[in-house]
PDB file of all heavy atoms in Angstrom:
ATOM      1  N   ARG A   1     115.249 112.779 126.591  1.00  0.00           N
ATOM      2  CA  ARG A   1     115.847 112.055 127.873  1.00  0.00           C
ATOM      3  C   ARG A   1     117.131 111.322 127.473  1.00  0.00           C
ATOM      4  O   ARG A   1     117.133 110.249 127.057  1.00  0.00           O
ATOM      5  CB  ARG A   1     114.882 111.113 128.390  1.00  0.00           C
ATOM      6  CG  ARG A   1     113.550 111.859 128.922  1.00  0.00           C
ATOM      7  CD  ARG A   1     112.689 111.021 129.834  1.00  0.00           C
ATOM      8  NE  ARG A   1     113.576 110.564 130.976  1.00  0.00           N
ATOM      9  CZ  ARG A   1     113.422 109.494 131.575  1.00  0.00           C
ATOM     10  NH1 ARG A   1     112.440 108.582 131.082  1.00  0.00           N
ATOM     11  NH2 ARG A   1     114.119 109.194 132.567  1.00  0.00           N
ATOM     12  N   LEU A   2     118.204 112.098 127.507  1.00  0.00           N
ATOM     13  CA  LEU A   2     119.549 111.584 126.976  1.00  0.00           C
ATOM     14  C   LEU A   2     120.313 110.945 128.151  1.00  0.00           C
ATOM     15  O   LEU A   2     120.317 111.511 129.230  1.00  0.00           O
ATOM     16  CB  LEU A   2     120.384 112.631 126.295  1.00  0.00           C
ATOM     17  CG  LEU A   2     119.738 112.991 125.046  1.00  0.00           C
ATOM     18  CD1 LEU A   2     120.616 114.400 124.560  1.00  0.00           C
ATOM     19  CD2 LEU A   2     119.637 112.101 123.955  1.00  0.00           C
ATOM     20  N   ASN A   3     120.922 109.768 127.843  1.00  0.00           N
ATOM     21  CA  ASN A   3     121.901 109.126 128.800  1.00  0.00           C
ATOM     22  C   ASN A   3     123.235 109.962 128.533  1.00  0.00           C
ATOM     23  O   ASN A   3     123.469 110.591 127.474  1.00  0.00           O
ATOM     24  CB  ASN A   3     122.102 107.802 128.379  1.00  0.00           C
ATOM     25  CG  ASN A   3     123.078 106.992 129.289  1.00  0.00           C
ATOM     26  OD1 ASN A   3     124.296 107.261 129.119  1.00  0.00           O
ATOM     27  ND2 ASN A   3     122.637 106.215 130.227  1.00  0.00           N
ATOM     28  N   PRO A   4     124.023 110.164 129.552  1.00  0.00           N
ATOM     29  CA  PRO A   4     125.409 110.928 129.316  1.00  0.00           C
ATOM     30  C   PRO A   4     126.227 110.360 128.147  1.00  0.00           C
ATOM     31  O   PRO A   4     126.958 111.119 127.579  1.00  0.00           O
ATOM     32  CB  PRO A   4     126.093 110.791 130.666  1.00  0.00           C
ATOM     33  CG  PRO A   4     124.938 110.505 131.707  1.00  0.00           C
ATOM     34  CD  PRO A   4     123.901 109.842 130.931  1.00  0.00           C
ATOM     35  N   LEU A   5     126.111 109.158 127.764  1.00  0.00           N
ATOM     36  CA  LEU A   5     126.819 108.541 126.700  1.00  0.00           C
ATOM     37  C   LEU A   5     126.206 108.865 125.286  1.00  0.00           C
ATOM     38  O   LEU A   5     126.785 108.458 124.282  1.00  0.00           O
ATOM     39  CB  LEU A   5     127.063 107.226 126.851  1.00  0.00           C
ATOM     40  CG  LEU A   5     127.683 106.764 128.152  1.00  0.00           C
ATOM     41  CD1 LEU A   5     127.751 105.302 128.307  1.00  0.00           C
ATOM     42  CD2 LEU A   5     129.273 107.224 128.188  1.00  0.00           C
ATOM     43  N   ASP A   6     124.939 109.360 125.293  1.00  0.00           N
ATOM     44  CA  ASP A   6     124.196 109.523 123.944  1.00  0.00           C
ATOM     45  C   ASP A   6     124.702 110.830 123.256  1.00  0.00           C
ATOM     46  O   ASP A   6     124.943 111.788 123.952  1.00  0.00           O
ATOM     47  CB  ASP A   6     122.701 109.609 124.232  1.00  0.00           C
ATOM     48  CG  ASP A   6     122.148 108.210 124.599  1.00  0.00           C
ATOM     49  OD1 ASP A   6     122.637 107.193 124.139  1.00  0.00           O
ATOM     50  OD2 ASP A   6     121.036 108.193 125.138  1.00  0.00           O
ATOM     51  N   THR A   7     124.486 110.813 121.954  1.00  0.00           N
ATOM     52  CA  THR A   7     124.769 112.033 121.059  1.00  0.00           C
ATOM     53  C   THR A   7     123.270 112.390 120.675  1.00  0.00           C
ATOM     54  O   THR A   7     122.615 111.625 120.054  1.00  0.00           O
ATOM     55  CB  THR A   7     125.504 111.656 119.833  1.00  0.00           C
ATOM     56  OG1 THR A   7     126.815 111.037 120.234  1.00  0.00           O
ATOM     57  CG2 THR A   7     125.738 112.863 119.048  1.00  0.00           C
ATOM     58  N   PRO A   8     122.905 113.763 120.999  1.00  0.00           N
ATOM     59  CA  PRO A   8     121.529 114.254 120.621  1.00  0.00           C
ATOM     60  C   PRO A   8     121.423 114.413 119.058  1.00  0.00           C
ATOM     61  O   PRO A   8     122.357 114.552 118.399  1.00  0.00           O
ATOM     62  CB  PRO A   8     121.463 115.610 121.336  1.00  0.00           C
ATOM     63  CG  PRO A   8     122.817 115.947 121.518  1.00  0.00           C
ATOM     64  CD  PRO A   8     123.764 114.776 121.598  1.00  0.00           C
ATOM     65  N   THR A   9     120.180 114.236 118.651  1.00  0.00           N
ATOM     66  CA  THR A   9     119.826 114.402 117.135  1.00  0.00           C
ATOM     67  C   THR A   9     118.534 115.169 117.195  1.00  0.00           C
ATOM     68  O   THR A   9     117.890 115.274 118.187  1.00  0.00           O
ATOM     69  CB  THR A   9     119.673 113.123 116.447  1.00  0.00           C
ATOM     70  OG1 THR A   9     118.626 112.271 117.058  1.00  0.00           O
ATOM     71  CG2 THR A   9     120.944 112.258 116.273  1.00  0.00           C
ATOM     72  N   GLY A  10     118.277 115.828 116.086  1.00  0.00           N
ATOM     73  CA  GLY A  10     116.996 116.735 116.018  1.00  0.00           C
ATOM     74  C   GLY A  10     115.846 115.913 115.525  1.00  0.00           C
ATOM     75  O   GLY A  10     115.993 114.721 115.000  1.00  0.00           O
ATOM     76  N   ALA A  11     114.642 116.539 115.516  1.00  0.00           N
ATOM     77  CA  ALA A  11     113.451 115.830 114.942  1.00  0.00           C
ATOM     78  C   ALA A  11     113.487 115.928 113.637  1.00  0.00           C
ATOM     79  O   ALA A  11     114.065 116.908 112.878  1.00  0.00           O
ATOM     80  CB  ALA A  11     112.210 116.583 115.718  1.00  0.00           C
ATOM     81  N   TYR A  12     112.831 114.984 112.771  1.00  0.00           N
ATOM     82  CA  TYR A  12     112.632 115.121 111.378  1.00  0.00           C
ATOM     83  C   TYR A  12     111.480 114.323 110.896  1.00  0.00           C
ATOM     84  O   TYR A  12     110.940 113.496 111.613  1.00  0.00           O
ATOM     85  CB  TYR A  12     114.041 114.554 110.598  1.00  0.00           C
ATOM     86  CG  TYR A  12     114.311 113.150 110.995  1.00  0.00           C
ATOM     87  CD1 TYR A  12     113.879 112.059 110.236  1.00  0.00           C
ATOM     88  CD2 TYR A  12     115.086 112.810 112.262  1.00  0.00           C
ATOM     89  CE1 TYR A  12     114.119 110.721 110.666  1.00  0.00           C
ATOM     90  CE2 TYR A  12     115.329 111.544 112.550  1.00  0.00           C
ATOM     91  CZ  TYR A  12     114.821 110.413 111.730  1.00  0.00           C
ATOM     92  OH  TYR A  12     115.144 109.173 112.003  1.00  0.00           O
ATOM     93  N   SER A  13     111.102 114.612 109.664  1.00  0.00           N
ATOM     94  CA  SER A  13     109.908 113.939 109.023  1.00  0.00           C
ATOM     95  C   SER A  13     110.333 113.452 107.585  1.00  0.00           C
ATOM     96  O   SER A  13     111.086 114.075 106.868  1.00  0.00           O
ATOM     97  CB  SER A  13     108.763 114.880 108.836  1.00  0.00           C
ATOM     98  OG  SER A  13     108.234 115.328 110.165  1.00  0.00           O
ATOM     99  N   LEU A  14     109.887 112.352 107.177  1.00  0.00           N
ATOM    100  CA  LEU A  14     110.147 111.694 105.916  1.00  0.00           C
ATOM    101  C   LEU A  14     108.917 111.352 105.131  1.00  0.00           C
ATOM    102  O   LEU A  14     107.935 111.010 105.816  1.00  0.00           O
ATOM    103  CB  LEU A  14     110.948 110.340 106.109  1.00  0.00           C
ATOM    104  CG  LEU A  14     112.196 110.492 106.839  1.00  0.00           C
ATOM    105  CD1 LEU A  14     112.875 109.145 107.114  1.00  0.00           C
ATOM    106  CD2 LEU A  14     113.304 111.409 106.128  1.00  0.00           C
ATOM    107  N   VAL A  15     108.835 111.644 103.887  1.00  0.00           N
ATOM    108  CA  VAL A  15     107.648 111.243 102.991  1.00  0.00           C
ATOM    109  C   VAL A  15     108.192 110.131 102.170  1.00  0.00           C
ATOM    110  O   VAL A  15     109.222 110.145 101.519  1.00  0.00           O
ATOM    111  CB  VAL A  15     107.329 112.467 102.221  1.00  0.00           C
ATOM    112  CG1 VAL A  15     106.149 112.080 101.238  1.00  0.00           C
ATOM    113  CG2 VAL A  15     106.892 113.608 103.051  1.00  0.00           C
ATOM    114  N   ASN A  16     107.334 109.081 102.054  1.00  0.00           N
ATOM    115  CA  ASN A  16     107.657 107.916 101.200  1.00  0.00           C
ATOM    116  C   ASN A  16     106.475 107.590 100.311  1.00  0.00           C
ATOM    117  O   ASN A  16     105.284 107.805 100.649  1.00  0.00           O
ATOM    118  CB  ASN A  16     107.784 106.668 102.130  1.00  0.00           C
ATOM    119  CG  ASN A  16     108.858 106.840 103.083  1.00  0.00           C
ATOM    120  OD1 ASN A  16     109.948 107.430 102.893  1.00  0.00           O
ATOM    121  ND2 ASN A  16     108.643 106.453 104.271  1.00  0.00           N
ATOM    122  N   LEU A  17     106.630 107.211  99.023  1.00  0.00           N
ATOM    123  CA  LEU A  17     105.622 106.926  98.114  1.00  0.00           C
ATOM    124  C   LEU A  17     105.893 105.582  97.475  1.00  0.00           C
ATOM    125  O   LEU A  17     107.022 105.072  97.471  1.00  0.00           O
ATOM    126  CB  LEU A  17     105.694 107.917  96.917  1.00  0.00           C
ATOM    127  CG  LEU A  17     105.611 109.413  97.217  1.00  0.00           C
ATOM    128  CD1 LEU A  17     105.896 110.260  95.970  1.00  0.00           C
ATOM    129  CD2 LEU A  17     104.348 109.684  97.786  1.00  0.00           C
ATOM    130  N   ASP A  18     104.868 104.834  97.207  1.00  0.00           N
ATOM    131  CA  ASP A  18     104.972 103.604  96.468  1.00  0.00           C
ATOM    132  C   ASP A  18     103.775 103.376  95.434  1.00  0.00           C
ATOM    133  O   ASP A  18     102.706 103.896  95.629  1.00  0.00           O
ATOM    134  CB  ASP A  18     105.029 102.414  97.401  1.00  0.00           C
ATOM    135  CG  ASP A  18     103.753 102.112  98.115  1.00  0.00           C
ATOM    136  OD1 ASP A  18     103.315 102.855  98.968  1.00  0.00           O
ATOM    137  OD2 ASP A  18     103.247 101.167  97.668  1.00  0.00           O
ATOM    138  N   ALA A  19     104.120 102.644  94.332  1.00  0.00           N
ATOM    139  CA  ALA A  19     103.014 102.324  93.375  1.00  0.00           C
ATOM    140  C   ALA A  19     103.463 100.966  92.737  1.00  0.00           C
ATOM    141  O   ALA A  19     104.559 100.640  92.652  1.00  0.00           O
ATOM    142  CB  ALA A  19     102.982 103.407  92.234  1.00  0.00           C
ATOM    143  N   GLY A  20     102.447 100.278  92.139  1.00  0.00           N
ATOM    144  CA  GLY A  20     102.753  99.038  91.588  1.00  0.00           C
ATOM    145  C   GLY A  20     101.501  98.484  90.763  1.00  0.00           C
ATOM    146  O   GLY A  20     100.473  98.963  90.933  1.00  0.00           O
ATOM    147  N   ILE A  21     101.997  97.818  89.768  1.00  0.00           N
ATOM    148  CA  ILE A  21     100.902  97.021  88.893  1.00  0.00           C
ATOM    149  C   ILE A  21     101.225  95.432  88.787  1.00  0.00           C
ATOM    150  O   ILE A  21     102.482  95.116  89.022  1.00  0.00           O
ATOM    151  CB  ILE A  21     100.806  97.731  87.537  1.00  0.00           C
ATOM    152  CG1 ILE A  21     102.181  97.617  86.856  1.00  0.00           C
ATOM    153  CG2 ILE A  21     100.250  99.013  87.555  1.00  0.00           C
ATOM    154  CD1 ILE A  21     102.066  97.988  85.341  1.00  0.00           C
ATOM    155  N   GLU A  22     100.334  94.711  88.404  1.00  0.00           N
ATOM    156  CA  GLU A  22     100.550  93.314  88.194  1.00  0.00           C
ATOM    157  C   GLU A  22      99.812  92.909  86.923  1.00  0.00           C
ATOM    158  O   GLU A  22      98.917  92.286  86.844  1.00  0.00           O
ATOM    159  CB  GLU A  22      99.938  92.418  89.341  1.00  0.00           C
ATOM    160  CG  GLU A  22     100.562  92.719  90.743  1.00  0.00           C
ATOM    161  CD  GLU A  22     100.023  91.835  91.826  1.00  0.00           C
ATOM    162  OE1 GLU A  22      99.212  91.004  91.445  1.00  0.00           O
ATOM    163  OE2 GLU A  22     100.535  91.951  92.992  1.00  0.00           O
ATOM    164  N   PRO A  23     100.421  93.297  85.657  1.00  0.00           N
ATOM    165  CA  PRO A  23      99.883  92.875  84.392  1.00  0.00           C
ATOM    166  C   PRO A  23     100.182  91.410  84.174  1.00  0.00           C
ATOM    167  O   PRO A  23     101.155  90.802  84.800  1.00  0.00           O
ATOM    168  CB  PRO A  23     100.633  93.786  83.516  1.00  0.00           C
ATOM    169  CG  PRO A  23     101.886  94.075  84.068  1.00  0.00           C
ATOM    170  CD  PRO A  23     101.634  94.134  85.549  1.00  0.00           C
ATOM    171  N   VAL A  24      99.522  90.763  83.188  1.00  0.00           N
ATOM    172  CA  VAL A  24      99.777  89.593  82.578  1.00  0.00           C
ATOM    173  C   VAL A  24     100.503  89.578  81.359  1.00  0.00           C
ATOM    174  O   VAL A  24     100.050  90.280  80.426  1.00  0.00           O
ATOM    175  CB  VAL A  24      98.497  88.626  82.469  1.00  0.00           C
ATOM    176  CG1 VAL A  24      98.852  87.304  81.860  1.00  0.00           C
ATOM    177  CG2 VAL A  24      97.697  88.673  83.818  1.00  0.00           C
ATOM    178  N   LEU A  25     101.763  89.065  81.342  1.00  0.00           N
ATOM    179  CA  LEU A  25     102.610  89.187  80.196  1.00  0.00           C
ATOM    180  C   LEU A  25     102.957  87.819  79.822  1.00  0.00           C
ATOM    181  O   LEU A  25     103.546  86.925  80.585  1.00  0.00           O
ATOM    182  CB  LEU A  25     103.892  90.023  80.484  1.00  0.00           C
ATOM    183  CG  LEU A  25     103.724  91.474  80.823  1.00  0.00           C
ATOM    184  CD1 LEU A  25     104.965  92.198  81.158  1.00  0.00           C
ATOM    185  CD2 LEU A  25     103.083  92.244  79.567  1.00  0.00           C
ATOM    186  N   PHE A  26     102.741  87.404  78.526  1.00  0.00           N
ATOM    187  CA  PHE A  26     103.071  85.962  78.037  1.00  0.00           C
ATOM    188  C   PHE A  26     102.496  84.995  78.993  1.00  0.00           C
ATOM    189  O   PHE A  26     103.133  83.893  79.241  1.00  0.00           O
ATOM    190  CB  PHE A  26     104.591  85.835  77.940  1.00  0.00           C
ATOM    191  CG  PHE A  26     105.264  86.959  77.166  1.00  0.00           C
ATOM    192  CD1 PHE A  26     106.086  87.828  77.773  1.00  0.00           C
ATOM    193  CD2 PHE A  26     105.065  87.143  75.786  1.00  0.00           C
ATOM    194  CE1 PHE A  26     106.700  88.871  77.150  1.00  0.00           C
ATOM    195  CE2 PHE A  26     105.598  88.096  75.035  1.00  0.00           C
ATOM    196  CZ  PHE A  26     106.563  89.036  75.659  1.00  0.00           C
ATOM    197  N   GLY A  27     101.240  85.229  79.416  1.00  0.00           N
ATOM    198  CA  GLY A  27     100.574  84.208  80.269  1.00  0.00           C
ATOM    199  C   GLY A  27     100.951  84.069  81.743  1.00  0.00           C
ATOM    200  O   GLY A  27     100.589  83.215  82.391  1.00  0.00           O
ATOM    201  N   HIS A  28     101.933  84.977  82.090  1.00  0.00           N
ATOM    202  CA  HIS A  28     102.355  84.973  83.512  1.00  0.00           C
ATOM    203  C   HIS A  28     102.152  86.458  84.174  1.00  0.00           C
ATOM    204  O   HIS A  28     102.235  87.385  83.511  1.00  0.00           O
ATOM    205  CB  HIS A  28     103.856  84.704  83.659  1.00  0.00           C
ATOM    206  CG  HIS A  28     104.298  83.442  83.102  1.00  0.00           C
ATOM    207  ND1 HIS A  28     104.142  82.239  83.857  1.00  0.00           N
ATOM    208  CD2 HIS A  28     104.764  83.065  81.901  1.00  0.00           C
ATOM    209  CE1 HIS A  28     104.649  81.137  83.091  1.00  0.00           C
ATOM    210  NE2 HIS A  28     104.957  81.651  81.945  1.00  0.00           N
ATOM    211  N   ARG A  29     101.767  86.424  85.429  1.00  0.00           N
ATOM    212  CA  ARG A  29     101.502  87.562  86.132  1.00  0.00           C
ATOM    213  C   ARG A  29     102.779  88.141  86.670  1.00  0.00           C
ATOM    214  O   ARG A  29     103.613  87.445  87.333  1.00  0.00           O
ATOM    215  CB  ARG A  29     100.478  87.470  87.264  1.00  0.00           C
ATOM    216  CG  ARG A  29      99.913  88.655  87.751  1.00  0.00           C
ATOM    217  CD  ARG A  29      98.555  88.501  88.487  1.00  0.00           C
ATOM    218  NE  ARG A  29      98.564  87.396  89.356  1.00  0.00           N
ATOM    219  CZ  ARG A  29      98.226  87.409  90.628  1.00  0.00           C
ATOM    220  NH1 ARG A  29      98.009  88.550  91.170  1.00  0.00           N
ATOM    221  NH2 ARG A  29      98.194  86.342  91.316  1.00  0.00           N
ATOM    222  N   ILE A  30     103.189  89.358  86.362  1.00  0.00           N
ATOM    223  CA  ILE A  30     104.278  90.082  86.691  1.00  0.00           C
ATOM    224  C   ILE A  30     104.045  91.158  87.696  1.00  0.00           C
ATOM    225  O   ILE A  30     103.154  91.914  87.445  1.00  0.00           O
ATOM    226  CB  ILE A  30     105.088  90.596  85.427  1.00  0.00           C
ATOM    227  CG1 ILE A  30     105.153  89.456  84.325  1.00  0.00           C
ATOM    228  CG2 ILE A  30     106.395  91.214  85.865  1.00  0.00           C
ATOM    229  CD1 ILE A  30     106.156  88.266  84.847  1.00  0.00           C
ATOM    230  N   GLY A  31     104.798  91.307  88.734  1.00  0.00           N
ATOM    231  CA  GLY A  31     104.599  92.533  89.583  1.00  0.00           C
ATOM    232  C   GLY A  31     105.770  93.535  89.345  1.00  0.00           C
ATOM    233  O   GLY A  31     106.859  93.157  89.350  1.00  0.00           O
ATOM    234  N   ILE A  32     105.341  94.763  89.105  1.00  0.00           N
ATOM    235  CA  ILE A  32     106.248  95.824  88.931  1.00  0.00           C
ATOM    236  C   ILE A  32     105.962  96.781  89.974  1.00  0.00           C
ATOM    237  O   ILE A  32     104.919  97.499  89.942  1.00  0.00           O
ATOM    238  CB  ILE A  32     106.055  96.406  87.559  1.00  0.00           C
ATOM    239  CG1 ILE A  32     106.235  95.378  86.443  1.00  0.00           C
ATOM    240  CG2 ILE A  32     107.023  97.601  87.444  1.00  0.00           C
ATOM    241  CD1 ILE A  32     105.853  95.669  85.042  1.00  0.00           C
ATOM    242  N   ASP A  33     106.859  97.004  90.903  1.00  0.00           N
ATOM    243  CA  ASP A  33     106.640  98.030  92.119  1.00  0.00           C
ATOM    244  C   ASP A  33     107.777  99.055  92.107  1.00  0.00           C
ATOM    245  O   ASP A  33     109.003  98.690  91.890  1.00  0.00           O
ATOM    246  CB  ASP A  33     106.685  97.348  93.360  1.00  0.00           C
ATOM    247  CG  ASP A  33     105.410  96.389  93.544  1.00  0.00           C
ATOM    248  OD1 ASP A  33     104.338  96.794  93.634  1.00  0.00           O
ATOM    249  OD2 ASP A  33     105.604  95.081  93.565  1.00  0.00           O
ATOM    250  N   VAL A  34     107.456 100.343  92.322  1.00  0.00           N
ATOM    251  CA  VAL A  34     108.332 101.438  92.440  1.00  0.00           C
ATOM    252  C   VAL A  34     108.189 101.925  93.900  1.00  0.00           C
ATOM    253  O   VAL A  34     106.947 102.309  94.333  1.00  0.00           O
ATOM    254  CB  VAL A  34     108.231 102.432  91.409  1.00  0.00           C
ATOM    255  CG1 VAL A  34     109.196 103.593  91.684  1.00  0.00           C
ATOM    256  CG2 VAL A  34     108.436 101.781  90.017  1.00  0.00           C
ATOM    257  N   THR A  35     109.173 102.109  94.717  1.00  0.00           N
ATOM    258  CA  THR A  35     108.979 102.669  95.990  1.00  0.00           C
ATOM    259  C   THR A  35     110.076 103.919  96.099  1.00  0.00           C
ATOM    260  O   THR A  35     111.155 103.714  95.706  1.00  0.00           O
ATOM    261  CB  THR A  35     109.412 101.736  97.053  1.00  0.00           C
ATOM    262  OG1 THR A  35     108.510 100.659  96.973  1.00  0.00           O
ATOM    263  CG2 THR A  35     109.193 102.328  98.465  1.00  0.00           C
ATOM    264  N   ALA A  36     109.664 105.101  96.492  1.00  0.00           N
ATOM    265  CA  ALA A  36     110.518 106.136  96.691  1.00  0.00           C
ATOM    266  C   ALA A  36     110.494 106.538  98.219  1.00  0.00           C
ATOM    267  O   ALA A  36     109.525 106.915  98.790  1.00  0.00           O
ATOM    268  CB  ALA A  36     110.067 107.295  95.909  1.00  0.00           C
ATOM    269  N   LEU A  37     111.690 106.381  98.801  1.00  0.00           N
ATOM    270  CA  LEU A  37     111.829 106.624 100.234  1.00  0.00           C
ATOM    271  C   LEU A  37     112.552 108.073 100.397  1.00  0.00           C
ATOM    272  O   LEU A  37     113.441 108.428  99.654  1.00  0.00           O
ATOM    273  CB  LEU A  37     112.752 105.652 100.934  1.00  0.00           C
ATOM    274  CG  LEU A  37     112.235 104.235 100.770  1.00  0.00           C
ATOM    275  CD1 LEU A  37     113.229 103.246 101.415  1.00  0.00           C
ATOM    276  CD2 LEU A  37     110.840 103.976 101.409  1.00  0.00           C
ATOM    277  N   ASN A  38     112.077 108.762 101.437  1.00  0.00           N
ATOM    278  CA  ASN A  38     112.630 110.159 101.603  1.00  0.00           C
ATOM    279  C   ASN A  38     112.490 110.932 100.371  1.00  0.00           C
ATOM    280  O   ASN A  38     113.568 111.519  99.882  1.00  0.00           O
ATOM    281  CB  ASN A  38     114.097 110.061 102.184  1.00  0.00           C
ATOM    282  CG  ASN A  38     114.576 111.261 102.740  1.00  0.00           C
ATOM    283  OD1 ASN A  38     113.953 112.275 102.857  1.00  0.00           O
ATOM    284  ND2 ASN A  38     115.870 111.312 102.873  1.00  0.00           N
ATOM    285  N   VAL A  39     111.426 111.104  99.841  1.00  0.00           N
ATOM    286  CA  VAL A  39     111.162 111.758  98.594  1.00  0.00           C
ATOM    287  C   VAL A  39     111.695 113.213  98.649  1.00  0.00           C
ATOM    288  O   VAL A  39     112.211 113.820  97.694  1.00  0.00           O
ATOM    289  CB  VAL A  39     109.584 111.835  98.248  1.00  0.00           C
ATOM    290  CG1 VAL A  39     109.289 112.717  97.076  1.00  0.00           C
ATOM    291  CG2 VAL A  39     109.162 110.392  97.983  1.00  0.00           C
ATOM    292  N   GLY A  40     111.461 113.982  99.791  1.00  0.00           N
ATOM    293  CA  GLY A  40     111.999 115.289 100.006  1.00  0.00           C
ATOM    294  C   GLY A  40     113.485 115.481 100.134  1.00  0.00           C
ATOM    295  O   GLY A  40     114.039 116.659 100.259  1.00  0.00           O
ATOM    296  N   ASP A  41     114.154 114.305 100.011  1.00  0.00           N
ATOM    297  CA  ASP A  41     115.677 114.407 100.203  1.00  0.00           C
ATOM    298  C   ASP A  41     116.129 115.140 101.492  1.00  0.00           C
ATOM    299  O   ASP A  41     117.106 115.909 101.516  1.00  0.00           O
ATOM    300  CB  ASP A  41     116.453 115.022  98.954  1.00  0.00           C
ATOM    301  CG  ASP A  41     117.889 114.528  98.948  1.00  0.00           C
ATOM    302  OD1 ASP A  41     118.196 113.503  99.543  1.00  0.00           O
ATOM    303  OD2 ASP A  41     118.572 115.044  98.193  1.00  0.00           O
ATOM    304  N   THR A  42     115.363 114.758 102.561  1.00  0.00           N
ATOM    305  CA  THR A  42     115.705 115.473 103.848  1.00  0.00           C
ATOM    306  C   THR A  42     116.947 114.871 104.537  1.00  0.00           C
ATOM    307  O   THR A  42     117.160 113.773 104.466  1.00  0.00           O
ATOM    308  CB  THR A  42     114.427 115.021 104.778  1.00  0.00           C
ATOM    309  OG1 THR A  42     113.343 115.419 104.285  1.00  0.00           O
ATOM    310  CG2 THR A  42     114.719 115.664 106.236  1.00  0.00           C
TER     311      THR A  42
END
């Protein structure tokens, strides 16, 4: 349902992944997180 001023775009799907750990190093808890967005490079 486009307005006359709109530019149409197609449908698409994205896959995202994330992982993390919280080890204790030198008496302090450290958060290490990795996130990958658009893994398939769509």
Side-chain angles (χ1 to χ4, degrees):
R1 296 195 60 213
L2 296 170
N3 183 281
L5 302 175
D6 286 335
T7 302
T9 58
Y12 59 93
S13 296
L14 303 175
V15 175
N16 305 316
L17 304 173
D18 71 286
I21 59 173
E22 292 181 4
V24 176
L25 298 173
F26 308 112
H28 298 281
R29 197 160 39 128
I30 307 294
I32 304 168
D33 293 291
V34 176
T35 303
L37 304 173
N38 190 8
V39 173
D41 202 19
T42 302

